[in-house]
């Protein structure tokens, strides 16, 4: 009987330890936090920072794996004459003292991965209002920081443990669930036979016919047919269909490489519910990464590419599966697509 109870207890623990984490992205006043399917969380101040940003990241599990950095920059690099920021930091108008033994310092960046230093720094600032630069207009609002820290604790199931940032308790670090197993999307046919000149010509002719018979509003002079070898017997065909100021919506098909052509529309479906509350994605500014054998999309929120959604998809022999999903909802001139926070990763 005792063994039966032990077995039932182990079963009840499995969901907490091994179920895939649900991605989440939230904003709390002047702070934004993103946690991906590995329960890796990253947060930063947003809105009117004028180029001074504090970023805090933390991995899931018992190990206190966190990094905190404060940077001056963004899409535009500071001018060469801009003085170093560390000596100029003010906390609610008073000089912000730092133990430089545990910080890595450069003129426009300071960072630390020392657990005790991060914990002490967060305890010092979480009830304050502002970090600013002396003789500068840049500022880090701390409105929403404490709620952000509590959200990370909750998402990573640290509340009540010694490792929590806000609601600490007596639970040991090993009570915190580890990161879920990283899913793999295998590459199918990584080196397909390249399209012959005849195959390419026939497929472009077929794509032109599909394009002329599609309900697309894009000026015919701007429409484009692109084809690439996906496997030894299938090709990926993409057609420009709709366009705005900085986004183009594409249509795509999986097409047999030989006549008579058989085509099936490409549908991109997320394995989680995004902020739009839809799991279906449009092919926005679509491309194909030949080196990594991945279909890419990039939906820009603004023309300067400081916000939007970037995704990567891998063909598994039947359909395209999500490999990476990154989203930056805050259009504040901070960083480009390759640095946007991820909600989904695979290997």
């Amino acid at each position: 009987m005792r063994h039966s109870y032990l077995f039932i207890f182990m079963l009840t623990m499995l969901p907490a330890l091994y179920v895939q984490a649900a991605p989440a992205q939230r904003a709390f006043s002047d702070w934004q936090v993103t946690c991906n399917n590995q329960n890796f969380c990253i947060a930063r101040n947003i809105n009117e920072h004028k180029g001074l940003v504090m970023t805090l990241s933390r991995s899931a599990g018992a190990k206190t794996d966190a990094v905190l950095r404060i940077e001056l920059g963004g899409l535009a690099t500071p001018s060469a004459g801009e003085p170093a920021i560390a000596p100029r930091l003010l906390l609610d108008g008073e000089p912000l003292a730092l133990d430089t033994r545990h910080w890595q310092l450069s003129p426009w960046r300071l960072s630390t991965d020392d657990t005790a230093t991060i914990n002490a720094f967060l305890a010092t600032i979480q009830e304050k209002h502002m970090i600013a630069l002396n003789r500068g207009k840049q500022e880090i609002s701390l409105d929403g920081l404490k709620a952000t820290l509590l959200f990370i604790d909750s998402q990573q199931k640290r509340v009540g443990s010694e490792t929590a940032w806000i609601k600490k308790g007596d639970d040991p670090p090993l009570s915190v669930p580890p990161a879920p197993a990283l899913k793999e999307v295998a590459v199918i046919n990584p080196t397909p036979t390249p399209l012959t000149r005849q195959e390419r010509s026939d497929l472009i002719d077929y794509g032109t016919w599909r394009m002329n018979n599609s309900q697309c509003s894009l000026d015919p002079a701007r429409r484009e047919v692109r084809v690439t070898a996906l496997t030894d017997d299938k090709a990926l065909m993409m057609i420009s269909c709709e366009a705005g100021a900085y986004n183009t919506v594409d249509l795509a098909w999986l097409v047999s490489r030989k006549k008579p052509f058989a085509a099936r529309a490409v549908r991109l479906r997320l394995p989680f519910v995004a902020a739009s509350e839809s799991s279906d994605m449009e092919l926005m500014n679509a491309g194909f990464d030949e080196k990594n054998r991945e279909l890419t999309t990039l939906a820009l929120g603004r023309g300067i590419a400081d916000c939007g959604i970037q995704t990567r998809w891998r063909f598994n022999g039947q359909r395209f599966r999500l490999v990476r999903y990154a989203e930056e909802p805050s259009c504040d001139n901070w960083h480009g697509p390759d640095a946007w926070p991820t909600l989904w990763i695979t290997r």
Side-chain angles (χ1 to χ4, degrees):
M1 181 65 72
R2 186 169 65 87
H3 293 294
S4 297
Y5 285 133
L6 180 60
F7 178 72
I8 292 171
F9 173 77
M10 291 175 66
L11 284 179
T12 61
M13 291 297 291
L14 282 175
L17 294 177
Y18 298 108
V19 169
Q20 195 79 18
Q25 190 168 62
R26 293 279 299 276
F28 298 95
S29 299
D30 292 326
W31 278 76
Q32 172 185 292
V33 57
T34 305
C35 299
N36 67 19
N37 59 319
Q38 289 290 286
N39 262 343
F40 171 83
C41 297
I42 186 166
R44 71 176 179 94
N45 60 297
I46 55 175
N47 299 329
E48 299 300 321
H49 51 72
K50 301 180 179 66
L52 185 65
V53 168
M54 183 174 98
T55 304
L56 177 67
S57 63
R58 193 176 203 183
S59 299
K63 185 180 179 182
T64 52
D65 186 10
V67 176
L68 188 153
R69 64 181 187 268
I70 298 175
E71 299 168 280
L72 179 65
L75 295 181
T77 304
S79 62
E82 182 73 33
I85 64 173
R88 301 163 56 203
L89 291 174
L90 303 174
L91 179 61
D92 285 354
E94 298 295 328
L96 179 57
L98 299 173
D99 184 352
T100 56
R101 293 174 300 172
H102 301 295
W103 290 85
Q104 291 78 53
L105 303 178
S106 61
W108 304 323
R109 174 187 171 111
L110 54 153
S111 65
T112 180
D113 59 2
D114 181 73
T115 299
T117 300
I118 292 174
N119 290 345
F121 186 81
L122 293 177
T124 298
I125 70 171
Q126 65 185 248
E127 300 290 354
K128 303 296 185 178
H129 301 289
M130 187 81 65
I131 295 175
L133 277 183
N134 189 18
R135 302 187 309 276
K137 298 180 179 180
Q138 302 88 346
E139 57 189 34
I140 298 170
S141 169
L142 301 176
D143 187 10
L145 171 62
K146 190 171 182 178
T148 296
L149 298 178
L150 180 58
F151 181 85
I152 294 174
D153 283 347
S154 178
Q155 191 75 6
Q156 297 182 342
K157 296 180 172 55
R158 298 183 184 277
V159 175
S161 83
E162 298 172 3
T163 67
W165 276 327
I166 301 299
K167 293 186 176 180
K168 288 184 177 293
D170 297 327
D171 293 342
L174 287 175
S175 66
V176 180
L182 190 61
K183 291 190 173 182
E184 181 179 9
V185 180
V187 178
I188 302 297
N189 205 169
T191 55
T193 305
L195 294 173
T196 65
R197 182 179 300 178
Q198 188 62 52
E199 282 179 321
R200 184 174 298 276
S201 177
D202 290 344
L203 284 166
I204 288 177
D205 287 345
Y206 176 67
T208 302
W209 174 81
R210 293 295 301 238
M211 181 173 61
N212 293 335
N213 287 276
S214 297
Q215 301 282 320
C216 293
S217 64
L218 187 63
D219 185 333
R222 296 179 57 194
R223 295 179 190 175
E224 180 185 9
V225 179
R226 291 163 289 159
V227 293
T228 187
L230 195 58
T231 66
D232 287 338
D233 61 356
K234 290 184 180 67
L236 174 65
M237 181 175 69
M238 294 185 287
I239 295 173
S240 310
C241 185
E242 316 280 346
Y246 34 80
N247 287 315
T248 298
V249 178
D250 298 292
L251 302 178
W253 290 267
L254 296 174
V255 187
S256 57
R257 291 175 57 163
K258 303 296 183 184
K259 295 181 179 180
F261 293 122
R264 176 163 56 92
V266 171
R267 300 276 186 257
L268 300 182
R269 175 154 291 193
L270 297 173
F272 65 95
V273 179
S276 63
E277 299 185 353
S278 173
S279 58
D280 293 319
M281 286 202 64
E282 286 187 309
L283 281 86
M284 197 83 72
N285 298 320
F288 190 77
D289 181 343
E290 294 279 359
K291 179 180 178 181
N292 294 304
R293 308 300 301 164
E294 292 171 353
L295 175 63
T296 63
T297 72
L298 177 61
L300 297 175
R302 300 199 300 183
I304 61 174
D306 62 340
C307 55
I309 298 172
Q310 183 189 65
T311 69
R312 302 184 76 88
W313 305 76
R314 196 173 293 157
F315 188 62
N316 69 354
Q318 296 296 321
R319 63 188 181 91
F320 283 95
R321 298 284 301 276
L322 183 66
V323 173
R324 185 179 186 272
Y325 180 103
E327 181 170 1
E328 178 53 84
S330 299
C331 304
D332 60 357
N333 297 292
W334 181 240
H335 49 197
D338 290 341
W340 293 347
T342 61
L343 281 90
W344 191 269
I345 58 172
T346 61
R347 58 185 177 92

